[in-house]
């Protein structure tokens, strides 16, 4: 049966466990017929990922630490040999020092700032450069962002500034890659209870505010983000690039 993503090879970076947004994305793309390739940061994530991907037939796993250029280069060299062509990349990677996701942004350290930028924003640029060579039939690159990159959200601090850089990078990358029919977009997801969310102080209070105030009066679930990613990976979104799509029950429209 011809499905939306039949015959498409899609790389998914950032599945840590079954609660990861990237895992919900993987399930949406797999059920639409995509062939999935996963990367994990280091062996402490490998066991979990192998266990999870057992339920998805014909998945391939590679180790890749996105802070090392040589590991990104060897990832795409391996993909070139093993797969040959890539149609999509999901970038769902971010990090900041937990002590800098609370208190005053003013107190952000130089190395904390640089780490957040390197892992949460620059990594997309390096990955997009690697993917370009394999996207000979065009492609779609999707990254995850959050409202705190557009305006102040208490405690998001240094990660907000990194997401602002990520969202601007999406536009510059879209401009560079558009002539090759490679689209670059971001999904701005409402707060979802993931392993990463545990690093943000008072995460629960914002969930409550969203249930009370968001237009849809409910929080966002990872499956909705999975389905919007499916849309962005498919030809249904062929006219969209350089965009940020909010999957957040409409919360971002409120002052
Ligand atoms: C106060 C804002 C509440 C809503 C936050 C929504 C959200 C939740 C998780 C997000 O992803 C991360 C990823 C890494 C991250 O840094 C971490 C996470 C855990 C431990 C650690 O040392 N750093 C913080 C947030 C994210 O970008 C946005």
């Amino acid at each position: 049966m011809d499905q939306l993503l039949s015959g498409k090879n899609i790389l998914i970076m950032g599945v840590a466990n079954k609660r990861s947004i990237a895992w919900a994305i993987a399930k949406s793309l797999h059920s639409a017929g995509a062939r999935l390739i996963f990367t994990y940061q280091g062996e402490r994530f490998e066991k979990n990922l192998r266990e999870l991907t057992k339920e998805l037939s014909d998945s391939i796993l590679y180790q890749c630490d996105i802070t090392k250029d040589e590991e990104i280069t060897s990832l795409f060299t391996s993909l070139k040999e093993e797969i040959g062509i890539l149609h999509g990349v999901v970038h769902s990677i971010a990090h900041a020092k937990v002590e800098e996701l609370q208190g005053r942004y003013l107190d952000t350290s130089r190395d904390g700032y640089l780490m957040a930028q390197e892992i949460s924003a620059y990594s997309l640029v390096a990955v997009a450069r690697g993917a370009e060579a394999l996207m000979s039939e065009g492609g779609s690159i999707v990254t995850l962002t959050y409202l705190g990159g557009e305006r102040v959200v208490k405690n998001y601090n240094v990660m907000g500034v990194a997401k602002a850089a990520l969202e601007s990078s999406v536009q510059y990358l879209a401009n560079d890659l558009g002539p090759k029919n490679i689209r670059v977009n971001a999904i701005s997801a409402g707060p979802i209870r993931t392993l990463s969310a545990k690093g943000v102080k008072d995460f629960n209070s914002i969930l409550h505010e969203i249930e009370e105030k968001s237009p849809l009066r409910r929080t966002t679930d990872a499956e909705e983000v999975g389905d919007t990613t499916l849309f962005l990976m498919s030809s249904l979104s062929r006219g969209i690039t350089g965009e940020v799509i909010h999957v957040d029950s409409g919360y971002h429209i409120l002052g």
Side-chain angles (χ1 to χ4, degrees):
M1 194 247 287
D2 192 36
Q3 293 171 284
L4 266 179
L5 298 184
S6 294
K8 304 279 187 202
N9 301 322
I10 299 177
L11 175 66
I12 301 183
M13 309 180 85
V15 175
N17 61 33
K18 69 179 187 315
R19 304 249 306 251
S20 298
I21 293 175
W23 179 240
I25 291 172
K27 286 188 286 184
S28 291
L29 302 188
H30 189 263
S31 47
R35 178 154 73 137
L36 303 178
I37 306 104
F38 295 87
T39 66
Y40 56 92
Q41 176 194 358
E43 58 283 339
R44 70 191 173 99
F45 289 103
E46 179 177 5
K47 201 169 63 66
N48 231 357
L49 188 58
R50 286 210 187 282
E51 198 52 43
L52 275 176
T53 52
K54 271 205 186 87
E55 69 180 77
L56 302 182
S57 53
D58 68 22
S59 297
I60 304 170
L61 273 58
Y62 287 101
Q63 188 269 327
C64 183
D65 175 349
I66 45 83
T67 64
K68 298 189 172 74
D69 283 331
E70 64 276 11
E71 294 205 13
I72 294 173
T73 304
S74 73
L75 166 70
F76 286 101
T77 304
S78 305
L79 288 175
K80 179 81 186 148
E81 285 157 15
E82 299 227 0
I83 316 277
I85 185 168
L86 210 49
H87 302 94
V89 175
V90 174
H91 172 277
S92 185
I93 294 171
H95 190 70
K97 289 178 191 275
V98 73
E99 59 272 21
E100 300 196 343
L101 296 170
Q102 55 185 291
R104 301 191 315 170
Y105 171 68
L106 188 64
D107 297 324
T108 302
S109 65
R110 182 181 300 272
D111 71 300
Y113 182 97
L114 292 173
M115 175 210 271
Q117 289 282 340
E118 178 184 26
I119 296 173
S120 317
Y122 180 73
S123 62
L124 180 70
V125 182
V127 165
R129 190 163 59 243
E132 177 194 14
L134 275 72
M135 288 184 162
S136 48
E137 293 176 356
S140 177
I141 299 172
V142 174
T143 190
L144 277 298
T145 188
Y146 176 63
L147 183 63
E150 297 173 51
R151 60 174 187 256
V152 172
V153 173
K154 191 174 178 305
N155 294 321
Y156 201 57
N157 298 0
V158 70
M159 185 62 88
V161 175
K163 292 300 189 183
L166 180 71
E167 291 183 24
S168 185
S169 291
V170 162
Q171 294 184 323
Y172 282 94
L173 291 171
N175 185 48
D176 287 342
L177 293 172
K180 295 192 164 182
N181 198 29
I182 298 170
R183 299 181 292 112
V184 188
N185 294 290
I187 293 174
S188 186
I192 295 167
R193 207 183 289 285
T194 60
L195 181 63
S196 291
K198 292 185 186 322
V200 190
K201 190 166 177 282
D202 290 344
F203 176 84
N204 292 326
S205 60
I206 195 140
L207 282 181
H208 186 66
E209 153 110 0
I210 287 160
E211 280 167 348
E212 305 261 304
K213 304 246 178 65
S214 69
L216 297 182
R217 297 291 190 274
R218 62 176 178 79
T219 54
T220 301
D221 62 53
E223 289 67 31
E224 294 174 289
V225 179
D227 290 342
T228 302
T229 309
L230 167 51
F231 163 69
L232 285 172
M233 286 292 158
S234 80
S235 61
L236 297 176
S237 61
R238 60 190 174 281
I240 302 175
T241 195
E243 189 58 273
V244 176
I245 299 182
H246 294 79
V247 182
D248 68 346
S249 301
Y251 185 77
H252 71 286
I253 64 177
L254 307 177

